[in-house]
Amino acid sequence: MVLRIFGWSFAVTIVSLIIAAIYGGPQAVMLVVILSILEVSLSFDNAVINATVLRRMSEFWQKIFLTVGIVIAVFGMRLVFPLVIVWLASGLGPVAALDLALNPPADGASHFPDGSPSYETLLTDAHPQIAAFGGMFLLMLFLGFIFEEREITWLSWLEKPLARIGKLDQLEVVVAGALLLLTAAYIAPEDTVSTVMISGVLGMVTYIAVNGLGELFNTPEEGEDGEPVEGSTGGPTALAKATGKAGFFLFLYLEVLDASFSFDGVIGAFAITSDPIIIALGLGFVGAMFVRSITVFLVRKGTLSDYVYLEHGAHWAIGALAFILLVSIGVHVNENITGLVGVALIGAAFISSIVRNRKAAAAVGEAPDDVDEQNPVSVG
């Protein structure tokens, strides 16, 4: 199963490294490896969240996400998106923007001799509005999860009180809106306040619209007794192998979610290299492919069912990433911190899941893999 799931990722990696070697020699190969590791470390929580949604989609829409979706992720977000940002920010045409990307100023300077900004500078200058949109989209996802009552809790001492106050209607919108105002007032540079506000509101509206469309075509998930299973697992309401319009809107939701996760990786990549070809190879062809493979592995192996706190850890990692994106509007945050926080939270959730399974197995005299999910041992 591992070879079948990760086979394409390994094949794409080999081809990408060969292309990098031809394109820029050993240094280019090393940069592609570094960028691919950066992408996987920053997006592991993305893979977990993707898996929670993907397992509710029909086989057809799963294939669409893993084929058409990967094209959008690789070419759309890792190659075309930065070019579009530079195109809009500089007023240059698409061809001129690509030429600017492929021909940076000498010695790594931020401006050309004539004073015009480089591709990297233009993209970095657009970071406040990118971070505001992505940060607010992810923040809404996080708040929607922690403000909802659920049978299984990880950090019970915190999640249960938050779920109780989450009964207040539209509380996540109120909290997100307040944080956006604080970000614009106290963190964002003065000349970016209006763009940060507009981008942040657009991020909130996008989440509400896509999530709302998912709920509109909701088909409640059924248990073994045929009764609907109550409670969602974050993002659009749980669907029973969503097809048709429901599957399409889940696919759309996953693509927007992937885009929000990719913002920090694309921007952070410029701390390593400004070459768009190297970035596309490292973040897109290698990194994004492995993130997709990890997502499929989690679904096929039933990992989220066996280790029930993984989803909680991933959402807390999303919350941390959202706050980091908002803070990064005014303060530089090292990309290593972003990756380590996510890995630490998911790692802690994984360990907690193992402990829970062992305790439950000891209580019922069964192997850990046979633990009944409806009788959890809460942590905290």
Side-chain angles (χ1 to χ4, degrees):
M1 177 181 287
V2 173
L3 183 59
R4 186 167 66 250
I5 292 175
F6 287 90
W8 275 107
S9 295
F10 286 120
V12 169
T13 298
I14 293 171
V15 173
S16 298
L17 293 177
I18 293 174
I19 293 174
I22 297 172
Y23 176 74
Q27 183 179 5
V29 172
M30 182 59 66
L31 290 174
V32 168
V33 172
I34 293 172
L35 287 172
S36 61
I37 294 173
L38 172 69
E39 174 70 8
V40 173
S41 64
L42 290 176
S43 300
F44 189 79
D45 45 359
N46 186 13
V48 177
I49 295 300
N50 283 351
T52 66
V53 181
L54 193 66
R55 64 178 177 174
R56 291 177 254 148
M57 299 168 71
S58 68
E59 185 177 351
F60 170 79
W61 282 106
Q62 287 184 7
K63 289 180 178 179
I64 291 294
F65 174 71
L66 298 171
T67 52
V68 177
I70 192 65
V71 174
I72 296 174
V74 173
F75 292 101
M77 289 311 304
R78 274 75 176 184
L79 183 60
V80 177
F81 173 73
L83 290 171
V84 170
I85 293 297
V86 172
W87 173 22
L88 296 176
S90 64
L92 298 172
V95 176
L98 179 60
D99 181 68
L100 183 67
L102 294 174
N103 298 283
D107 303 323
S110 61
H111 290 74
F112 289 93
D114 62 359
S116 59
S118 68
Y119 175 84
E120 178 183 356
T121 300
L122 288 169
L123 188 59
T124 302
D125 289 344
H127 176 71
Q129 48 264 50
I130 295 172
F133 179 93
M136 293 309 297
F137 184 91
L138 295 177
L139 182 62
M140 289 291 292
L141 172 59
F142 167 67
L143 294 175
F145 181 85
I146 65 169
F147 285 151
E148 183 176 357
E149 280 192 309
R150 59 193 68 255
E151 185 176 356
I152 298 176
T153 57
W154 178 36
L155 305 175
S156 301
W157 57 274
L158 181 57
E159 291 180 3
K160 287 183 177 180
L162 288 173
R164 283 195 291 269
I165 65 174
K167 292 179 179 179
L168 294 172
D169 192 35
Q170 300 300 318
L171 180 61
E172 62 267 29
V173 177
V174 174
V175 173
L179 288 174
L180 178 59
L181 286 173
L182 291 174
T183 300
Y186 297 106
I187 297 178
E190 290 186 9
D191 59 340
T192 66
V193 170
S194 60
T195 56
V196 165
M197 284 296 299
I198 293 172
S199 300
V201 170
L202 286 175
M204 294 174 61
V205 169
T206 301
Y207 175 83
I208 293 171
V210 177
N211 187 55
L213 289 170
E215 292 181 349
L216 178 64
F217 298 100
N218 171 45
T219 303
E221 198 173 15
E222 295 184 354
E224 294 181 359
D225 57 358
E227 295 297 320
V229 176
E230 304 206 356
S232 70
T233 54
T237 305
L239 304 178
K241 295 301 180 184
T243 59
K245 292 180 180 179
F248 170 75
F249 286 117
L250 276 182
F251 169 75
L252 182 63
Y253 176 84
L254 279 174
E255 290 306 312
V256 178
L257 181 62
D258 182 70
S260 299
F261 270 99
S262 68
F263 290 148
D264 62 323
V266 172
I267 298 297
F270 281 89
I272 299 171
T273 178
S274 60
D275 191 318
I277 303 301
I278 300 297
I279 291 175
L281 288 172
L283 296 187
F285 285 96
V286 180
M289 279 295 295
F290 268 101
V291 171
R292 284 296 196 280
S293 294
I294 293 171
T295 299
V296 176
F297 180 80
L298 294 174
V299 173
R300 298 286 187 267
K301 291 286 289 184
T303 306
L304 298 179
S305 298
D306 294 336
Y307 304 96
V308 294
Y309 298 140
L310 272 181
E311 185 179 356
H312 295 74
H315 277 90
W316 281 102
I318 285 175
L321 176 58
F323 281 107
I324 289 172
L325 282 172
L326 294 178
V327 170
S328 71
I329 292 174
V331 180
H332 174 71
V333 179
N334 189 288
E335 292 75 24
N336 292 329
I337 296 177
T338 306
L340 288 174
V341 168
V343 171
L345 286 167
I346 293 177
F350 179 72
I351 293 172
S352 296
S353 298
I354 294 175
V355 172
R356 167 196 177 275
N357 290 349
R358 288 179 177 175
K359 287 183 177 179
V364 299
E366 298 179 350
D369 290 338
D370 298 325
V371 173
D372 182 1
E373 293 178 24
Q374 302 302 318
N375 294 284
V377 177
S378 297
V379 174

